[in-house]
Amino acid sequence: MSINSEKFSLLSKLPQYVFSSVNELKHQARLNGEDIIDFGMGNPDQPTPRHIIEKLLESSVQGRNHRYSVSAGLPKLRLAISNWYKRNYDIKLDPEEETIVTIGSKEGLSHLMISLLAPGETVLVPDPCYPIHSYSVLIARGNIKEYNSIDDEKLLENIELGLMSDPKPKALIISFPSNPTTQTVDIDFFTKVVELAKKYSIIVIHDFAYADICFDGYKAPSFLQAKGSMDVGVESFSLSKSYNMAGWRVGFMCGNREVISALKRVKSYLDYGIFQPIQISAITALNETQDCVKQIRDTYKSRRDRLIDGLGKAGWDIDPPKATMFVWAKIPDKFKSIGSLEFSKKLIKECNVAVSPGIGFGKLGNEHVRFALIENEQRIQQATRSIKKLFK
Ligand SMILES: Cc1ncc(COP(=O)(O)O)c(C=O)c1O
C-alpha cells in the first residue's frame, strides 16, 4: 500500500528497501516454480543449539516466568554478559551500571539513537553500512553524515574528516567485522578511534554482531578493550549469529555508564523486557558450553571456502573474508556498468541465484554484491556452476 508521507513525515525518510525489488523478483520466480538459491538475507538457516532450546522448554512451563520481566534485563543475564566479557576479552564490567539487555541489536541501536539525539543532531555513519546504522538516526529525527568506509587505507582519515564537518556530529557508528564489507580491524584501530572521540568530543557506538564469526586464526577485538573506550562509547552484541538465535531477539549493549543509563531510562518507558524464559535461555547460551559457537563458525568457514572456490572457477576472484557470514564480491568488469541492482536481478533471472545488491547498503556499495552464507555447500556449488555458465 502506498502511504501519504506528507501525513506521516518520518516515512519520507524511510523508503522501501532497495532489497524489496530483488525480493519481488525472487518471489515471482518461486511462484513460477523456480528453485532460487538464496544468499540474500543474513538470516541463519541452522537451528538454535539443543541445550538452549531445552532451557526454553523447561523455563517456559513455569508460571512465574510469564509475568512482566525487567526492562534492562534480568540481573543474572547481565551478570552472564559481564562474565562473557571477562572470559573472552578480559574486560571487567559492572553488570548493574555498564550493561543492558536489548531486544536484539536493531532494537537496542534504534532506541539508543532516540535516547541520545535531539532532533536535527548529526551522526557519522559508514557508507556502505548495515541499514539500521543510518535508519536508526533518521527514526530518531537526527541527520546522517556518511563517511567512506570502503577504503581500508583511509578509514581513519575519512572518519576524522567527517568529525570535522559542520554541523559537528554528536556520535560515530562503527562496526567490525563489518556487514556488508567484511572488513576487520585490530585493537590499534579502536585505540585511534578513542583518541579521535576524545579530540572531537563524540560518542562512539560499535556494533559487534560478528564478534565470534572469525576465521583463519583471526580474533576480532572488542572496542571495549581499547584504552579509554569506556569514557567515550558503547558496544552492541547480538546472540542472533553466534548462537543461531536470530528469531529469539536477544542482544546486549555495554560500556559507558552515562550512555547505558540513558538507554535504560528510555527503555524503561517502552518495554518490560524480553519474555523471561528467553532471557533464562540466553544465560544458558552465554554461560554453558561454547562448542556450538565453534561449530557455527566452522560451518560458515566451509561455506565461505566453497563459495570462493566455486566463484574462482567461474573466473570471479575474491579474497576470502577473515570474518562474518558474508562474501562481499566486487562485480566483475564485464558487468560493472549495469550496477549492483541490475546485476543482482540478472543473477536471479539467469542463474536462479539471489544476492543482495551493494547499493542497498549505501551508494558506495554499488560496485559490489553481498552473498550471505546461508545455503549449504551442495547448493553453493550448484549456484557457482550456474554463475560460471553466465560468465561464459
Ligand atoms: C552488523 C549487524 N548488526 C546487527 C544485526 C542485527 O542483529 P539482531 O538480530 O540482534 O537485531 C545484524 C544482522 O544481520 C548485523 O549484520
Side-chain angles (χ1 to χ4, degrees), residues 214-227:
C214 299
F215 321 118
D216 310 329
Y218 173 72
K219 179 167 164 58
S222 157
F223 173 68
L224 300 183
Q225 285 175 301
K227 194 162 175 274

Side-chain angles (χ1 to χ4, degrees), residues 42 104-106 130 133 175 179 207 209-210 238 240-241 249-250:
S105 308
K106 277 180 99 171
Y130 178 61
H133 294 166
S175 180
N179 172 17
D207 181 346
Y210 298 96
S238 163
S240 295
K241 309 298 159 85
R249 314 309 300 133
V250 196

Side-chain angles (χ1 to χ4, degrees), residues 298-319:
D298 289 349
T299 301
Y300 287 129
K301 183 189 175 303
S302 311
R303 291 176 178 183
R304 174 202 72 168
D305 292 345
R306 185 57 66 105
L307 182 64
I308 297 282
D309 181 57
L311 293 177
K313 285 182 182 144
W316 193 356
D317 290 322
I318 299 151
D319 284 340

